[in-house]
Amino acid sequence: MHAPLTREQALALYDSRFWESLAYVERARFQLSEERLCMPFEVFIEAVERALGRSVRVGELIDSRGLLAELTGEQQPLDVDELLSLVPARKRMLLAA
């Protein structure tokens, strides 16, 4: 495991557009392993979704270790109940049609 990037290092990577030379899986693996965003958010989400072959809910980004484990084959995708458990109860709301 490497030391977390500093803000300046993350910004330098962002400015370098390093992700353009990486495959989707490599982009996803890198950013899921890094605390600071080093690429545009849209690029990150697209990479994760293409690498996993499914849509990714924003709530899944609360703890990216699960997505990384799924990417490496160590874990199955979260079901709806598991996903909801990541959201604090006070921030949940129910919408009815």
Side-chain angles (χ1 to χ4, degrees), residues 62 78-89 92-93:
I62 293 169
L78 297 178
D79 64 28
V80 173
D81 291 331
E82 292 169 324
L83 180 60
L84 285 175
S85 74
L86 297 174
V87 180
R92 295 180 205 159
M93 77 170 129

Side-chain angles (χ1 to χ4, degrees), residues 4-16 36-38:
L5 294 176
T6 65
R7 180 179 187 276
E8 292 74 23
Q9 290 169 322
L11 288 170
L13 275 175
Y14 188 99
D15 290 342
S16 76
R36 296 184 188 271
L37 191 61
C38 300

Side-chain angles (χ1 to χ4, degrees), residues 52-83:
L52 295 177
R54 66 175 183 84
S55 294
V56 173
R57 298 167 191 92
V58 175
E60 292 179 89
L61 299 175
I62 293 169
D63 182 1
S64 61
R65 290 176 297 184
L67 289 172
L68 189 56
E70 184 181 340
L71 183 67
T72 60
E74 300 171 25
Q75 177 178 307
Q76 293 297 312
L78 297 178
D79 64 28
V80 173
D81 291 331
E82 292 169 324
L83 180 60

